[in-house]
Amino acid sequence: MKTIVIYSSKTGFTKRYAGWIAEETGAECLPLAEAKKKDLAGYDAIVFGGWACAGSIKDVGWFTGNMDRWKGKKQIVFCVGASPVTPDVEKSLAQNFNEPKLEGANVFYCPGGLNYEKMSVLSRLMMRMFVKAIKAKKDKSATEEEMARVMSASYDISDKKYIEPIITCLRG
């Protein structure tokens, strides 16, 4: 099966996962800017990876806008975020694909992390404000306490094991 993995990555976590998927499947791997210039008609499977941002997937509009053109091809989206896999993350991810026309896509979540050093000044400021707001909240839950602690500095929870369901989907 001729496969292409296309990604949009800001701090490197999504690019890492895209590379792992391409390596495991022998797929071509391109950043979105390059893939937009390419004719994808010759591919049997199109995999798109974007990063999570406030409950949405960065640049997923490009993918969803082309889904009708790719009918008959395997279509997979993976999203990389700073959170571990939780039911809330899965629910948020599903909201990006709740329209009937988008039901043909297989959607997956892969935990990545935070890399403050690679973030833009604005993104870094927004994350710091978010953490500060969590810390200032009265009656925080244990989950919120842990989130504020972990998100106070850069961290990496990415793991190659999270591509296994994507690989299974591609081969299945």
Side-chain angles (χ1 to χ4, degrees), residues 128-148:
R128 299 279 189 213
M129 288 171 49
F130 177 68
V131 170
K132 188 175 181 178
I134 294 171
K135 287 180 176 179
K137 185 178 175 185
K138 294 180 189 221
D139 301 322
K140 288 182 280 297
S141 68
T143 302
E144 290 169 325
E145 287 278 357
E146 179 64 9
M147 187 173 14

Side-chain angles (χ1 to χ4, degrees), residues 55-56 83-96 109 141 143-144 147:
S56 64
S83 300
V85 179
T86 66
D88 288 342
V89 168
E90 298 291 336
K91 187 171 132 183
S92 177
L93 192 58
Q95 289 175 358
N96 285 276
Y109 179 76
S141 68
T143 302
E144 290 169 325
M147 187 173 14

Side-chain angles (χ1 to χ4, degrees), residues 20-156:
W20 285 340
I21 294 164
E23 178 184 294
E24 186 70 27
T25 61
E28 185 174 353
C29 186
L30 293 174
L32 179 59
E34 288 181 37
K36 284 180 175 180
K37 301 172 193 170
K38 193 166 181 73
D39 179 11
L40 304 179
Y43 294 91
D44 304 305
I46 300 169
V47 180
F48 174 77
W51 47 279
C53 181
S56 64
I57 304 169
K58 181 70 174 152
D59 294 324
V60 77
W62 170 82
F63 182 87
T64 58
N66 284 292
M67 286 180 71
D68 286 341
R69 290 186 14 205
W70 301 330
K71 288 235 187 279
K73 298 180 186 301
K74 188 162 279 196
Q75 299 177 39
I76 296 174
V77 172
F78 69 95
C79 174
V80 179
S83 300
V85 179
T86 66
D88 288 342
V89 168
E90 298 291 336
K91 187 171 132 183
S92 177
L93 192 58
Q95 289 175 358
N96 285 276
F97 287 86
N98 61 1
E99 295 178 36
K101 77 172 198 157
L102 305 179
E103 289 176 359
N106 298 281
V107 184
F108 300 91
Y109 179 76
C110 302
L114 287 175
N115 187 333
Y116 283 105
E117 295 76 25
K118 289 186 178 180
M119 286 182 178
S120 68
V121 172
L122 181 59
S123 293
R124 199 168 37 240
L125 177 63
M126 287 176 17
M127 287 304 301
R128 299 279 189 213
M129 288 171 49
F130 177 68
V131 170
K132 188 175 181 178
I134 294 171
K135 287 180 176 179
K137 185 178 175 185
K138 294 180 189 221
D139 301 322
K140 288 182 280 297
S141 68
T143 302
E144 290 169 325
E145 287 278 357
E146 179 64 9
M147 187 173 14
R149 186 189 68 73
V150 170
M151 294 176 81
S152 293
S154 295
Y155 63 93
D156 183 348

